[in-house]
């Protein structure tokens, strides 16, 4: 069965802290994605990766970075958290290829105080 | 540029009555279209997808969607709502434009409430 896990369901951090969100998939998928979800805005793509050590900017990369050292793990990093980064963060993965279905994790709800 | 517009932010139906969630798309290419569902505190799950085969697409849990090119629509329907259908639904188009790498573009979501 397809499985994408995220390290935390809820996180509370303070402004200026460095925050790591971890995502792991066990399906040997090549592609991994990070989205943020905000009410009334749907999902917006932050970063994605098509291979180990590869990364591409999505639509809203500012204030974020990513790391993909292993195929199964894709980390989202907030270098200096700000209150406007309070959001739900969703990770997804898919096989290589443009038409492949993306499978989503349960999400991490981040509150930055 | 490609985009999707979900015409209703909230839809409320009674259990046992039909469900209609509306989505219009804009695309310069033959589109790939999807519906995803998100139950409270859960990740997104694919309901169904259209990729230029049959225009009527059947998905999981009794949902289906019809691709209508003339109306640029991809509305999601279900004949009879169940309480467990209460969730948020996202209409999604794949970005086929040059250089896009096929990423997904999400609508803003429609929250479906089901009354007993």
């Amino acid at each position: 069965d397809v499985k994408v896990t995220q390290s935390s369901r809820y996180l509370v951090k303070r402004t200026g802290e460095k925050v790591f969100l971890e995502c792991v998939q066990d399906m040997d998928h090549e592609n991994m994605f990070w989205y943020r979800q905000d009410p009334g805005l749907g999902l917006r793509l932050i970063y994605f990766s098509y291979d180990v050590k590869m990364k591409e900017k999505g639509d809203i990369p500012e204030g974020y970075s990513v790391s993909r050292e292993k195929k199964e793990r894709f980390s989202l990093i907030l270098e200096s958290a700000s209150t406007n980064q309070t959001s739900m963060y969703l990770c997804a993965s898919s096989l290589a290829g443009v038409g492949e279905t993306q499978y989503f994790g349960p999400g991490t709800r981040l509150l930055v105080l | 540029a490609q985009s999707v517009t979900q015409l209703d932010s909230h839809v409320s139906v009674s259990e046992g009555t039909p469900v209609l969630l509306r989505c219009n798309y804009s695309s310069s290419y033959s589109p790939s279209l999807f519906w995803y569902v998100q139950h409270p505190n859960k990740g997104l799950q694919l309901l169904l997808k259209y990729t230029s085969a049959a225009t009527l697409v059947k998905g999981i849990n009794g949902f289906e969607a019809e691709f209508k090119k003339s109306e640029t629509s991809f509305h999601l329907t279900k004949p009879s709502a169940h309480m467990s259908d209460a969730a948020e639904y996202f209409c999604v188009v794949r970005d086929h434009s040059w250089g896009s790498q096929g990423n997904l573009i999400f609508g803003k979501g429609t929250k479906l409430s089901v009354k007993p």
Side-chain angles (χ1 to χ4, degrees):
Chain A
D1 200 14
V2 167
K3 192 140 189 188
V4 180
T5 57
Q6 295 183 230
S7 52
S8 305
R9 293 300 303 274
Y10 301 94
L11 272 181
V12 181
K13 297 292 182 180
R14 297 213 172 268
T15 302
E17 279 193 77
K18 190 169 186 175
V19 181
F20 293 86
L21 304 182
E22 304 285 339
C23 174
V24 177
Q25 50 93 4
D26 64 0
M27 299 162 284
D28 203 32
H29 283 173
E30 289 80 12
N31 301 341
M32 296 189 75
F33 308 82
W34 274 108
Y35 296 87
R36 66 176 281 175
Q37 180 181 13
D38 299 289
L41 296 179
L43 275 71
R44 293 177 290 167
L45 182 64
I46 305 172
Y47 267 97
F48 56 101
S49 168
Y50 288 110
D51 201 352
V52 176
K53 297 194 184 294
M54 303 286 287
K55 60 183 179 183
E56 297 283 345
K57 292 180 180 179
D59 299 317
I60 50 165
E62 296 78 18
Y64 303 94
S65 62
V66 290
S67 172
R68 190 155 181 212
E69 297 296 319
K70 293 185 178 181
K71 188 177 185 180
E72 67 270 19
R73 187 179 297 269
F74 192 35
S75 302
L76 180 69
I77 303 156
L78 287 64
E79 295 288 344
S80 177
S82 63
T83 54
N84 63 13
Q85 292 178 310
T86 291
S87 188
M88 169 73 94
Y89 290 88
L90 290 165
C91 175
S93 72
S94 74
L95 289 168
V98 171
E100 295 297 333
T101 298
Q102 290 188 20
Y103 296 90
F104 284 81
T108 295
R109 192 170 292 280
L110 173 66
L111 173 62
V112 182
L113 299 173
Chain B
Q2 283 143 113
S3 64
V4 287
T5 302
Q6 292 184 244
L7 299 169
D8 307 291
S9 57
H10 287 91
V11 169
S12 182
V13 301
S14 297
E15 192 174 21
T17 64
V19 176
L20 170 63
L21 305 183
R22 298 182 295 164
C23 174
N24 287 121
Y25 69 90
S26 172
S27 175
S28 304
Y29 306 87
S30 180
S32 298
L33 293 158
F34 309 79
W35 278 97
Y36 277 84
V37 61
Q38 185 180 33
H39 288 92
N41 300 312
K42 296 282 178 67
L44 275 72
Q45 180 184 19
L46 180 68
L47 269 181
L48 50 82
K49 63 180 178 181
Y50 167 79
T51 52
S52 76
T55 56
L56 183 62
V57 183
K58 294 189 183 298
I60 61 172
N61 301 335
F63 284 93
E64 61 183 38
E66 187 171 8
F67 173 72
K68 290 187 177 180
K69 187 176 180 179
S70 61
E71 298 177 9
T72 61
S73 68
F74 191 57
H75 301 333
L76 183 70
T77 60
K78 183 173 180 178
S80 175
H82 191 272
M83 296 296 292
S84 60
D85 294 327
E88 189 160 20
Y89 293 79
F90 293 93
C91 184
V92 182
V93 65
R94 188 177 296 282
D95 189 355
H96 287 299
S97 58
W98 180 258
S100 72
Q101 298 175 311
N103 290 332
L104 300 181
I105 300 169
F106 285 79
K108 296 184 179 180
T110 298
K111 281 194 176 163
L112 176 65
S113 301
V114 182
K115 297 174 288 189

